[in-house]
Amino acid sequence: MNMVTEDLSINAVGARNTPATPEGPIQYVNELTTLNLGPTHPATHGIFQNILQMDGEKIVSGEQTIGYIHRAFEKISERRPFYQIKALTDRMNYCSSPINNFGWDMTMEKLLGVEVPKRAQYIRVIMMELARISDHLICNGILGVDAGAFTGFLYLFQQREEIYEIYEEMCGARLTTNMGRVGGMERDLSPEAVRKIRKFIKTFPVVMREFEALFNRNRIFMDRVVDVGPISAERALNYGFTGPNLRAAGVDYDVRVMNPYSSYEDFEFDIPVGQSGDTYDRFMVRNEEIWQSLRIVEQALENLPEGPYYADAPEYYLPPKQEVYKNMEALIYHFKIVMGEIDAPVGEVYHAVEGGNGELGFYLISDGGRAPYRLHFRRPCFIYYQAFPEMCKGTTLSDAIVIMSSLNVIAGELDA
Amino acid sequence: MLTNEAVAQDIIQQFGEAVSEFDDPFDLLTLTVSREKLIPLLQYLKDHKTFQISFLTDLTGVHFPDSPGREFCVVYHAHSLINNYRIRLKVFLAENDIHVPTATILYESANWMERETFDFFGILFDGHPKLQRILNMEEMDYFPMRKQYPLEDGTREDKIDALFGR
């Protein structure tokens, strides 16, 4: 009993205290503790491991182990007909799957030279911006949870539910949406979907304002995140940051503005930028981006052009089912597309879209076959997560958790 | 605004023999550079006063088993955020000498991308701080993205090459 209390007191006062024992003074060496954060830690929000070397509470160095949910999408896609690859892209950044889906569609359209009608482009923009909102909602909500505030997360999750209901109305799925087709959308925006989007535009700002009121100037929250894990613009660029994390460091790079796709040039919106690139800036940039995305959704819905919602590209776009039953050509194309017998032209294309986490790139080499010769996904998470040890060096463990959370590392995207 | 011709001319003037196969598929300047001049070229583009191509977007590998002497290709996508100009560089490698200098001295972001390329293609990046597998397990003794590893079960006849137009 006596021994135990003695041990406890030594632990409590730390290594600098050297009490005498019958064998003489205890010799303490400056020892580092190895701490495994992950692979299944609740705060990593996904399966990846961080091996941290800790000196007391301070992090001395860190090393990541990733690849726990690597599913070889690049290899699988070398043996899949083009239209089946979209189901793989869903599973990368599963918090904003429509962006991945349409990113892949646009890559194919670029290769095939298919011009998508305005209406389809606007519908895509609506869905992509809703996806961005849901992606940022999760990230910021979880950041609150990791900092100890659960309430905001619950408010926002209800709103994410509303977005998922809109997805459901559009494509029947919620998480892995597989939305759209090469050449346009698989179905038009239904009146019910329009009603749900309008309802969302009306109710969401109320909740979002409440969320911001809970967090933005909250002293406890600010103490946890201000000046935590800052990264300079120069380092961020060197580390290949893109998206909100780069903009938080003060670089106004946004693919939607730099290389507009899917009619983004028609809309008016601002790019929020931060200053110091710390966790608070990342949080604020995401919040502001949510408002800007909402602005885009409003504009797109307001100015939604009339007309067809798919391109006139019968070789690539699945014909309407009614046609298949009575029209010979439609039947042939239906068969060829479903059986994956469409030869794509020879070409090499890189197409980038602004994903939830940054520049989501698709590098496709086609040799004229029915599946890509080589397909590479530029996953923003994978590239910027390298910077995590540098960002959390010298901070405490609890800071490392909020830094990781504000980086929004999505395991599916990290590992592809 | 940078044009592909202007950039290509400038690069040819500086690097002469080392660069070749200029092309611009979908308006993206693509060129092949010799292995020795890869890092000098990346450095040159990064430090150039007007180009300022100082962002490494993507780095990956491709396997071409049917072209002897240049079986492997490492593809670099670089981006100038100031001029909004993209460029694609390729380095071809022979299977028996599969070394390429690392770009980590210029870009930290190349670190994991090079590890990934090593992991899947076995391309050796000389001077890399930690060239280990990243997504696959350490014990793996082959490079899965090489074309010699078929994805499907070899006995299946519904997924033969002919059905994929090859």
Side-chain angles (χ1 to χ4, degrees):
Chain A
M1 189 62 208
N2 201 13
M3 280 297 285
V4 173
T5 44
E6 200 174 20
D7 279 349
L8 282 175
S9 77
I10 291 166
N11 284 339
V13 292
R16 271 165 289 282
N17 193 5
T18 50
T21 59
E23 291 84 36
I26 296 174
Q27 292 297 313
Y28 290 106
V29 275
N30 193 11
E31 211 174 56
L32 298 180
T33 316
T34 306
L35 185 76
N36 279 300
L37 180 62
T40 50
H41 191 278
T44 57
H45 308 296
I47 306 175
F48 44 92
Q49 187 184 23
N50 294 280
I51 305 163
L52 302 173
Q53 297 296 331
M54 312 275 300
D55 181 8
E57 263 286 287
K58 292 265 181 280
I59 295 167
V60 178
S61 66
E63 204 194 317
Q64 305 108 306
T65 314
I66 65 166
Y68 286 93
I69 59 162
H70 173 58
R71 291 146 297 175
F73 286 163
E74 290 176 9
K75 186 74 181 176
I76 295 173
S77 48
E78 286 177 11
R79 277 303 203 139
R80 282 212 174 175
F82 285 99
Y83 78 98
Q84 286 184 2
I85 291 167
K86 189 155 53 177
L88 303 173
T89 65
D90 283 339
R91 284 140 180 91
M92 287 202 294
N93 187 346
Y94 39 72
C95 288
S96 51
S97 0
I99 303 183
N100 304 356
N101 296 157
F102 296 139
W104 168 245
D105 283 346
M106 283 181 253
T107 311
M108 278 309 290
E109 283 152 11
K110 202 166 169 178
L111 177 72
L112 303 169
V114 173
E115 187 68 40
V116 180
K118 270 282 188 209
R119 186 177 175 85
Q121 294 188 9
Y122 273 53
I123 298 174
R124 281 180 179 181
V125 166
I126 294 173
M127 298 324 287
M128 283 194 284
E129 291 310 313
L130 287 173
R132 195 181 318 283
I133 292 174
S134 85
D135 187 276
H136 289 356
L137 285 185
I138 304 258
C139 176
N140 279 354
I142 298 273
L143 177 61
V145 173
D146 287 345
F150 208 85
T151 319
F153 172 68
L154 291 177
Y155 284 2
L156 293 184
F157 236 61
Q158 181 55 40
Q159 293 305 306
R160 192 187 78 143
E161 192 65 24
E162 308 283 326
I163 295 175
Y164 277 15
E165 275 181 22
I166 299 168
Y167 291 172
E168 215 171 356
E169 198 56 51
M170 280 304 292
C171 65
R174 291 161 58 84
L175 189 73
T176 49
T177 50
N178 202 10
M179 201 187 283
R181 296 270 182 274
V182 172
M185 297 296 293
E186 77 271 38
R187 70 191 72 177
D188 204 354
L189 207 57
S190 69
E192 181 61 16
V194 174
R195 196 188 63 75
K196 280 186 171 165
I197 296 168
R198 285 199 196 286
K199 182 175 158 244
F200 179 77
I201 292 174
K202 219 166 122 188
T203 56
F204 176 67
V206 183
V207 181
M208 191 60 202
R209 269 195 291 275
E210 197 168 358
F211 176 78
E212 288 196 315
L214 277 173
F215 281 87
N216 285 8
R217 305 298 297 167
N218 182 325
R219 177 45 54 196
I220 305 167
F221 180 68
M222 283 176 80
D223 282 346
R224 283 298 306 277
V225 292
V226 173
D227 279 337
V228 169
I231 188 159
S232 68
E234 193 192 348
R235 290 302 289 164
L237 285 171
N238 203 266
Y239 265 119
F241 274 49
T242 41
N245 297 329
L246 178 66
R247 291 192 281 274
V251 183
D252 62 342
Y253 172 55
D254 190 321
V255 186
R256 290 176 291 173
V257 179
M258 281 273 230
N259 307 94
Y261 51 89
S262 196
S263 293
Y264 265 110
E265 65 276 11
D266 295 0
F267 305 106
E268 200 179 297
F269 60 101
D270 300 324
I271 312 175
V273 289
Q275 277 181 335
S276 59
D278 63 1
T279 304
Y280 187 63
D281 277 6
R282 284 191 283 274
F283 175 80
M284 293 301 276
V285 163
R286 284 206 171 83
N287 270 351
E288 188 50 39
E289 272 187 22
I290 290 174
W291 290 113
Q292 297 302 329
S293 294
L294 201 65
R295 251 175 94 186
I296 299 174
V297 174
E298 274 173 9
Q299 291 173 46
L301 198 62
E302 216 51 58
N303 306 323
L304 193 66
E306 292 298 319
Y309 57 92
Y310 55 87
D312 182 26
E315 305 96 315
Y316 312 116
Y317 185 87
L318 210 60
K321 197 72 178 172
Q322 306 89 294
E323 289 294 303
V324 176
Y325 288 126
K326 51 189 184 189
N327 185 333
M328 191 63 196
E329 275 78 39
L331 178 65
I332 292 169
Y333 283 129
H334 178 94
F335 182 82
K336 286 186 80 171
I337 292 170
V338 171
M339 296 309 287
E341 293 187 1
I342 302 294
D343 292 337
V346 179
E348 190 175 4
V349 48
Y350 178 82
H351 185 74
V353 294
E354 180 73 23
N357 287 327
E359 179 173 335
L360 177 71
F362 296 85
Y363 175 49
L364 168 69
I365 299 177
S366 169
D367 64 344
R370 289 159 191 181
Y373 185 78
R374 172 88 173 96
L375 176 62
H376 177 71
F377 305 111
R378 186 215 188 260
R379 289 114 51 209
C381 269
F382 176 74
I383 294 165
Y384 69 62
Y385 185 50
Q386 297 178 63
F388 179 65
E390 185 177 309
M391 293 168 83
C392 70
K393 201 173 189 173
T395 62
T396 59
L397 180 63
S398 54
D399 286 347
I401 302 282
V402 291
I403 294 168
M404 192 197 301
S405 176
S406 72
L407 282 175
N408 196 20
V409 186
I410 309 273
E413 193 174 72
L414 192 65
D415 295 344
Chain B
M1 268 306 277
L2 293 178
T3 58
N4 283 346
E5 290 82 50
V7 178
Q9 281 308 321
D10 193 287
I11 292 172
I12 291 173
Q13 223 161 45
Q14 279 294 323
F15 289 89
E17 293 283 285
V19 286
S20 57
E21 297 177 55
F22 285 83
D23 197 3
D24 55 348
F26 300 96
D27 211 28
L28 181 64
L29 180 65
T30 303
L31 58 103
T32 303
V33 60
S34 74
R35 182 170 59 186
E36 291 71 30
K37 288 289 177 191
L38 167 71
I39 298 302
L41 178 57
L42 282 172
Q43 179 91 56
Y44 175 74
L45 294 173
K46 195 178 179 183
D47 297 341
H48 197 284
K49 278 197 186 64
T50 48
F51 297 172
Q52 303 189 51
I53 304 178
S54 57
F55 186 83
L56 183 67
T57 308
D58 194 22
L59 190 166
T60 191
V62 192
H63 187 198
F64 298 104
D66 299 332
S67 48
R70 33 196 288 163
E71 282 95 349
F72 289 93
C73 175
V74 186
V75 187
Y76 298 78
H77 285 85
H79 194 179
S80 162
L81 298 184
I82 290 161
N83 298 306
N84 190 19
Y85 182 81
R86 289 179 194 268
I87 189 168
R88 182 188 289 142
L89 310 176
K90 289 183 179 179
V91 181
F92 284 95
L93 307 167
E95 194 164 12
N96 48 20
D97 182 19
I98 192 166
H99 289 267
V100 70
T102 178
T104 45
I105 44 171
L106 295 173
Y107 298 103
E108 294 277 1
S109 56
N111 189 332
W112 279 16
M113 293 195 270
E114 285 180 353
R115 276 178 72 180
E116 190 192 21
T117 311
F118 163 73
D119 192 352
F120 288 105
F121 292 94
I123 293 167
L124 299 166
F125 291 88
D126 297 337
H128 189 284
K130 187 185 176 187
L131 198 61
Q132 288 178 4
R133 289 188 181 272
I134 186 161
L135 292 179
N136 291 311
M137 57 183 183
E138 295 277 314
E139 294 78 26
M140 216 165 170
D141 56 355
Y142 56 95
F143 302 108
M145 284 295 281
R146 290 189 180 182
K147 291 282 178 188
Q148 71 248 42
Y149 300 110
L151 187 70
E152 301 290 344
D153 178 358
T155 56
R156 279 180 71 165
E157 287 186 357
D158 55 334
K159 297 243 175 164
I160 52 173
D161 266 342
L163 293 178
F164 286 87
R166 303 219 164 89

